[in-house]
Amino acid sequence: AEYEPKQRKKPVRRKVQQEEDVEDEEVDSVQQKKRNKDQNKLSAAEKQVSDVLKKLQKRSKEDEATKLALYQESIGKNVDEWDGSTTKTFKREQRPGQVDAVKFLFNPKSFTQTIENIFSYSFLVKKGDAKIGMRSEEEATEEAPAGPWVSGTDNSHGKSNRAKPPKQAIVSLSMRQWRQMVEAYEFEEGDLPHRGNSKYARK
């Protein structure tokens, strides 16, 4: 009989193991990319909330400074000459630091960004860094007209906040209502800057 050399078995198991290792690496790579993408989204959202807070603090200070200067001029007394009654009257009539909510949160060029602004602001309210309210016709003055307003809190300026726990409410806003509000308030630029192109822009 002729001699037939033994044939070596193919390393099937090792090949299968290598394929499994490659598949595991690919899965890990996909999962890592997804985690990075989620983190980037979170970072972008956190930055938006931070930007809204900074702008709110700036606008509140500007509003308070403007009203303070006008009131001092109207009564002929500097703030260091005021008594308790004058201070209370100033706060009641002028509502210093309360900014028009529509002009602050609404983007007249973009419905989408208006929703994003409101969403970001809701986080500030939840944390106790911001407030939102509605001024009725009975409460309105020439300097503080009726309508929704927003403002910062002592907490947003690094002070202790001993106020009651913040309350939240669910509100709805359709594109039609957004257009009507923008037209009613007659403004072309909001306090929060427009962020480039938007899918749902006002025409």
Side-chain angles (χ1 to χ4, degrees), residues 125-139:
V125 174
K126 183 178 180 180
K127 290 170 59 181
D129 288 336
K131 296 185 290 185
I132 185 168
M134 176 66 74
R135 192 177 301 112
S136 65
E137 292 289 346
E138 291 75 19
E139 298 172 318

Side-chain angles (χ1 to χ4, degrees), residues 75-125:
I75 65 174
K77 289 183 179 181
N78 291 326
V79 65
D80 53 4
E81 300 175 307
W82 294 3
D83 56 18
S85 177
T86 304
T87 301
K88 288 181 180 178
T89 302
F90 167 69
K91 291 182 177 180
R92 184 181 67 252
E93 294 181 355
Q94 306 292 322
R95 308 293 172 130
Q98 293 184 359
V99 180
D100 187 310
V102 175
K103 293 182 179 179
F104 183 80
L105 294 172
F106 276 49
N107 183 333
K109 298 178 181 178
S110 170
F111 172 71
T112 303
Q113 291 186 24
T114 296
I115 298 300
E116 291 173 353
N117 293 343
I118 295 173
F119 183 70
S120 297
Y121 193 82
S122 70
F123 281 94
L124 297 177
V125 174

